[in-house]
Amino acid sequence: MTTQRLQQQIAFIIEVDKIKQIYRKNFVIGGERHETDAEHSWHLAIMAILLAEHIDYPLDILKVIKMVLIHDIVEIDAGDTYCFDQIGGLDKAVREQAAANRLFGLLPEDQAQELRSLWDEFEQRGSLEAKFADALDRLQPLLLHYNTEGKSWQLNGITSGKVIERNQRTREISDKLGQLVDDIIEDSISKGYLKK
């Protein structure tokens, strides 16, 4: 006989499978389709493991991995809001808070509190780990845009000023990663992937 705790955990696991069906504006490298939230979150976890060495302060890398794996779960209910969509961004926080309440509420109380706390910390950039996770959440789409020759930028009329503004936080957590961002943006402009 399964316990209530196990039933709650399985219910959450089944519910979050829906993240595989949430499509983002980014295109996958080498493909014609949009990236899913599940692919994005997995990619961030890999990046966290590999790029942590470029951060100048000690990190709880497991905490970062947990954050990046759950940070977009709320989009199951709230939908993906394109980072450059000013109108969609107006009610994003309200939609995502309601989604967080429902989704994390499916879990046993201790796990619900842990994951909700991590999600809130990420949203508020409330720790060094959250700032690193946030920087990765900005760097990963930049890598996809660059390696798809700016396809999504061009389809959505995104200019270099918006991309620079979106990615300026990266330098706060790492000069090396900040320089990488600058180099990618400059090269994107010079190759015509991104308009000034």
Side-chain angles (χ1 to χ4, degrees):
M1 172 172 276
T2 58
T3 64
Q4 180 180 358
R5 180 178 181 84
L6 181 56
Q7 289 174 351
Q8 288 176 295
Q9 291 165 331
I10 296 301
F12 180 80
I13 289 166
I14 291 168
E15 186 68 11
V16 300
D17 185 71
K18 293 176 182 175
I19 199 169
K20 297 173 187 174
Q21 299 175 47
I22 307 299
Y23 286 90
R24 301 165 50 82
K25 292 284 188 184
N26 308 330
F27 288 89
V28 296
I29 296 170
E32 291 298 315
R33 69 172 179 80
H34 291 275
E35 174 189 46
T36 69
D37 273 355
E39 293 165 327
H40 169 68
S41 297
W42 167 82
H43 213 181
L44 293 183
I46 295 293
M47 291 173 67
I49 294 166
L50 297 177
L51 300 180
E53 69 181 59
H54 300 290
I55 306 304
D56 298 329
Y57 48 80
L59 286 171
D60 178 346
I61 197 65
L62 179 58
K63 184 178 182 180
V64 175
I65 291 169
K66 287 179 179 181
M67 278 183 185
V68 298
L69 287 176
I70 66 161
H71 82 288
D72 277 343
I73 280 177
V74 296
E75 294 182 3
I76 290 168
D77 288 356
D80 178 56
T81 304
Y82 189 40
C83 62
F84 300 111
D85 181 356
Q86 293 178 334
I87 294 171
L90 294 175
D91 68 343
K92 177 183 174 188
V94 172
R95 288 183 284 117
E96 290 189 349
Q97 289 289 333
N101 291 340
R102 185 187 80 78
L103 291 162
F104 295 124
L106 297 173
L107 285 164
E109 188 173 339
D110 62 317
Q111 290 180 324
Q113 287 177 354
E114 177 195 8
L115 296 186
R116 176 59 188 259
S117 176
L118 287 170
W119 183 80
D120 287 334
E121 189 176 324
F122 173 85
E123 288 296 308
Q124 297 161 8
R125 298 180 74 238
S127 65
L128 297 175
E129 287 81 7
K131 289 178 182 178
F132 179 49
D134 176 70
L136 295 175
D137 193 34
R138 293 159 190 274
L139 175 58
Q140 188 265 355
L142 181 67
L143 293 171
L144 293 187
H145 290 308
Y146 180 74
N147 286 282
T148 57
E149 299 181 354
K151 184 174 183 175
S152 182
W153 286 332
Q154 294 163 17
L155 289 173
N156 293 285
I158 305 305
T159 60
S160 62
K162 290 179 180 180
V163 176
I164 290 167
E165 181 182 343
R166 170 115 180 113
N167 288 278
Q168 62 187 334
R169 291 181 182 172
T170 304
R171 194 170 292 283
E172 293 175 20
I173 58 104
S174 170
D175 284 334
K176 288 179 186 174
L177 295 180
Q179 186 60 55
L180 173 66
V181 164
D182 292 348
D183 293 347
I184 290 170
I185 293 171
E186 280 181 34
D187 201 41
S188 294
I189 294 167
S190 71
K191 289 181 174 177
Y193 303 165
L194 183 60
K195 292 183 180 179
K196 281 197 160 217

